[in-house]
């Protein structure tokens, strides 16, 4: 059969979106012929071209759109050229009324371009103008991005566009201010569950997706304690299912810092019971993971981060300010607080927690029968060195440090021999 040209392909695609506005998944297929889908061919929800003289470019089944590889170059070229043409004829900066047919053509062509190339900044920028002028609803654009992310989950430009949809509310067209207005706050809250759902889905299907995790953290930064606690519970479930994906651990560190700030509004002291329980729970969960998955570098790296974050946070001040979480995450955590800035109560708590954690670490070192023992021992010894240098030196007496020095030197020598040269810098100071 003959192949359709670019114009026919674009018209057919637009017709499919009119027929099913709830398309929620996009994929490329080798062929879109009905005979390739014997089960689906019997379904009334199947949409494709059944003309024997036409090679079918699309298949639509249960809100899932398949696009045949052969038609991608033709439809992309035509849609892009048509978009460039209509963008030059449409002056969206003008307050004069615009031709509705031209607006529709601009929407359809940019949609087609982005489904194939989500990083086309020109198309995204033009759609921003359409949103500002009210020709595209923000919820409609979010829905399109949900579809785009099923095919292009790591498109940095598309994720930036998604953030812009929220941050540009009540701001001028060039602003991405993060200062909340009532309208923006209401819209973020209304869309929050969908945003978290999309970020979770993308993170599970496409691991180590920096863009989705960054967007998730940004959304939560606009929300209050209840939303952050809910996400904390979700991440507690997510981490054991994705044990080697450090993105989840890094997000947990942000959640712990933010929860400490939010909870401190009701409990002024960082030594308050609820905040200490929060961190102790995380320490226990990390230790459990290390028992279940010995030798996992991602878990040991997370253990380092939360230990340093916790001990430095405790020593910052008694009253945690609203900016504390930012300071915690951005200040040089390798610089310990001065001893005279830490109360006796803080020192006693930190020392007891330190000694408690060292018991677990020593158990890891002594458990020669554990699976992956060599890896577990190396990371445990390295962690012990790290804690002595960054924490214990700050809370121990001179006599205690003297007793620890010889053991520390032996551990450092052992670690220098255990790690290869490329990784020694990270795990051996």
């Amino acid at each position: 059969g003959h192949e359709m040209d670019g114009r026919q392909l674009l018209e057919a695609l637009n017709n499919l979106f009119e027929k099913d506005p709830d398309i929620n998944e996009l994929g490329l297929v080798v062929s879109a012929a009905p005979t390739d889908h014997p089960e689906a061919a019997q379904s009334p929800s199947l949409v494709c071209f059944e003309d024997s003289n036409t090679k079918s470019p699309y298949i639509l089944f249960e809100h899932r759109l398949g696009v045949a590889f052969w038609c991608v170059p033709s439809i992309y070229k035509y849609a892009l050229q048509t978009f460039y043409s209509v963008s030059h004829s449409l002056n969206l900066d003008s307050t004069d009324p615009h031709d509705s047919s031209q607006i529709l053509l601009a929407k359809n062509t940019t949609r087609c371009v982005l489904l194939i190339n989500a990083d086309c900044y020109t198309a995204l920028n033009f759609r921003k103008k359409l949103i500002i002028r009210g020709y595209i609803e923000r919820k409609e654009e979010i829905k399109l991005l949900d579809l785009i992310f099923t095919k292009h989950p790591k498109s940095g430009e598309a994720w930036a566009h998604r953030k812009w949809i929220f941050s540009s509310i009540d701001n001028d067209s060039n602003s991405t201010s993060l200062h909340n207005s009532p309208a923006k706050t209401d819209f973020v809250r209304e869309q929050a569950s969908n945003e978290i759902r999309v970020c979770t889905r993308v993170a599970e299907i496409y691991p180590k997706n920096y863009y989705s995790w960054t967007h998730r953290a940004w959304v939560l930064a606009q929300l209050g304690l209840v939303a952050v606690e809910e996400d904390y519970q979700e991440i507690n479930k997510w981490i054991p299912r994705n044990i080697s994906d450090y993105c989840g651990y890094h997000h947990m560190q942000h959640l712990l810092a933010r929860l400490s700030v939010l909870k401190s509004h009701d409990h002024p002291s960082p030594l308050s019971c609820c905040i200490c329980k929060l961190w102790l729970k995380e320490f226990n969960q990390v230790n459990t993971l290390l028992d279940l998955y010995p030798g996992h570098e991602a878990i040991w790296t997370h253990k380092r981060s939360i230990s340093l974050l916790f001990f430095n946070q405790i020593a910052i001040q008694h009253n945690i300010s609203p900016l504390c979480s930012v300071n915690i995450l951005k200040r040089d955590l390798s610089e310990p607080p001065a001893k005279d800035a830490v109360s006796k109560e803080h020192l006693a708590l930190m020392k007891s927690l330190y000694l408690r954690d060292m018991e677990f670490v020593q158990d890891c070192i002594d458990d020669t029968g554990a699976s992956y023992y060599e890896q577990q021992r190396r990371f445990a010894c390295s962690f012990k060195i790290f804690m002595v240098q960054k924490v214990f030196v700050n809370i121990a007496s001179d006599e205690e440090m003297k007793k620890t020095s010889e053991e520390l030197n032996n551990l450092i020598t052992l670690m220098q021999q255990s790690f290869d040269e490329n990784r020694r810098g990270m795990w051996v100071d």
Side-chain angles (χ1 to χ4, degrees):
H2 70 273
E3 293 184 358
M4 304 165 70
D5 60 24
R7 181 185 59 79
Q8 293 172 317
L9 289 168
L10 181 60
E11 289 179 355
L13 181 64
N14 294 338
N15 290 336
L16 289 180
F17 275 98
E18 288 183 13
K19 181 179 181 68
D20 185 359
D22 296 322
I23 295 174
N24 57 27
E25 189 173 330
L26 172 69
L28 295 178
V29 295
V30 176
S31 171
T35 53
D36 292 341
H37 308 273
E39 296 180 5
Q42 307 302 318
S43 171
S45 64
L46 177 72
V47 178
C48 51
F49 295 89
E50 299 185 24
D51 183 352
S52 59
N53 295 320
T54 302
K55 191 175 180 180
S56 185
Y58 311 116
I59 182 167
L60 178 61
F61 180 64
E62 293 182 349
H63 309 303
R64 293 169 174 83
L65 175 64
V67 180
F69 278 102
W70 66 263
C71 76
V72 171
S74 297
I75 190 174
Y76 183 74
K77 180 180 179 181
Y78 177 79
L80 192 61
Q81 291 176 343
T82 306
F83 160 59
Y84 285 152
S85 176
V86 73
S87 66
H88 285 108
S89 63
L90 271 175
N91 181 13
L92 292 179
D93 295 327
S94 171
T95 56
D96 297 332
H98 298 95
D99 187 340
S100 59
S101 63
Q102 291 289 92
I103 293 294
L104 180 61
L105 184 59
K107 291 169 64 174
N108 290 341
T109 52
T110 51
R111 177 179 62 192
C112 177
V113 167
L114 293 172
L115 289 176
I116 298 171
N117 177 16
D119 285 319
C120 182
Y121 185 76
T122 308
L124 290 168
N125 195 46
F126 197 82
R127 290 185 73 90
K128 286 181 174 69
K129 293 183 178 181
L130 292 173
I131 292 172
I132 292 169
R133 291 304 306 271
Y135 293 121
I136 296 179
E137 294 289 333
R138 293 176 190 270
K139 290 182 182 179
E140 178 187 342
E141 192 73 351
I142 290 173
K143 187 176 179 181
L144 173 62
L145 288 170
D146 289 350
L147 173 60
I148 289 172
F149 288 149
T150 62
K151 181 60 184 171
H152 310 284
K154 293 187 176 181
S155 168
E157 296 294 350
W159 280 105
H161 183 63
R162 192 182 189 101
K163 180 178 176 181
W164 176 90
I165 294 172
F166 291 93
S167 61
S168 63
I169 296 175
D170 287 349
N171 294 323
D172 62 69
S173 59
N174 295 318
S175 173
T176 55
S177 170
L178 300 186
H179 297 294
N180 286 352
S181 67
K184 182 198 296 185
T185 301
D186 291 344
F187 187 70
V188 172
R189 286 175 178 170
E190 181 184 348
Q191 296 293 316
S193 60
N194 180 65
E195 295 303 293
I196 299 300
R197 179 185 60 79
V198 170
C199 291
T200 300
R201 182 190 67 201
V202 170
E204 289 191 336
I205 299 176
Y206 305 91
K208 302 175 180 65
N209 191 323
Y210 167 83
Y211 300 106
S212 67
W213 286 104
T214 302
H215 184 75
R216 185 183 194 129
W218 180 83
V219 170
L220 288 167
Q222 320 301 310
L223 304 174
L225 177 61
V226 174
V228 178
E229 285 184 327
E230 288 177 356
D231 198 56
Y232 169 75
Q233 298 298 332
E234 288 300 315
I235 296 302
N236 269 327
K237 300 174 185 176
W238 191 91
I239 287 177
R241 298 198 305 266
N242 303 270
I243 203 67
S244 295
D245 191 339
Y246 189 74
C247 291
Y249 299 110
H250 187 255
H251 187 71
M252 174 61 83
Q253 293 158 27
H254 279 273
L255 290 176
L256 289 169
R258 181 154 172 78
L259 281 171
S260 297
V261 173
L262 294 173
K263 288 178 179 291
S264 71
H265 295 163
D266 297 324
H267 306 273
S269 171
L271 290 174
S272 63
C273 183
C274 67
I275 294 178
C276 279
K277 282 184 177 179
L278 174 71
W279 287 86
L280 288 175
K281 179 182 177 182
E282 183 64 16
F283 290 144
N284 290 334
Q285 289 179 164
V286 170
N287 291 347
T288 299
L289 290 176
L290 286 171
D291 282 334
L292 293 172
Y293 306 99
H296 260 263
E297 186 171 5
I299 310 175
W300 280 105
T301 304
H302 177 55
K303 185 175 177 65
R304 272 193 175 205
S305 298
I306 61 170
S307 297
L308 193 57
L309 186 60
F310 175 73
F311 284 108
N312 278 268
Q313 176 175 325
I314 288 292
I316 288 175
Q317 55 187 11
H318 284 263
N319 296 309
I320 302 179
S321 71
L323 297 177
C324 186
S325 63
V326 177
N327 295 333
I328 291 169
L329 295 173
K330 292 187 176 180
R331 68 191 287 265
D332 184 2
L333 294 178
S334 64
E335 292 296 326
K339 282 187 181 181
D340 56 7
V342 186
S343 69
K344 291 183 179 179
E345 185 181 6
H346 281 249
L347 285 173
L349 174 64
M350 287 196 292
K351 187 176 291 188
S352 65
L353 291 175
Y354 169 84
L355 294 174
R356 173 181 175 272
D357 208 32
M358 286 304 101
E359 288 180 8
F360 170 81
V361 174
Q362 191 60 47
D363 288 342
C364 292
I365 296 173
D366 296 338
D367 188 8
T368 57
S371 57
Y372 300 98
Y373 168 69
E374 286 302 320
Q375 296 95 315
Q376 183 84 329
R377 179 181 63 85
R378 285 201 302 269
F379 290 127
C381 289
S382 175
F383 179 80
K384 192 169 186 177
I385 296 170
F386 172 83
M387 290 296 284
V388 170
Q389 293 178 332
K390 303 300 182 183
V391 175
F392 191 63
V393 69
N394 194 49
I395 60 178
S397 64
D398 293 339
E399 184 178 345
E400 289 172 324
M401 276 306 302
K402 188 175 181 180
K403 291 180 180 178
T404 309
S405 294
E406 184 177 350
E407 180 187 7
L408 180 64
N409 291 332
N410 292 335
L411 283 172
I412 291 175
T413 301
L414 177 64
M415 289 297 92
Q416 289 174 337
Q417 297 171 351
S418 299
F419 281 98
D420 61 70
E421 186 175 347
N422 293 330
R423 301 173 74 192
R424 191 177 299 158
M426 175 181 177
W427 288 100
V428 182
D429 292 324

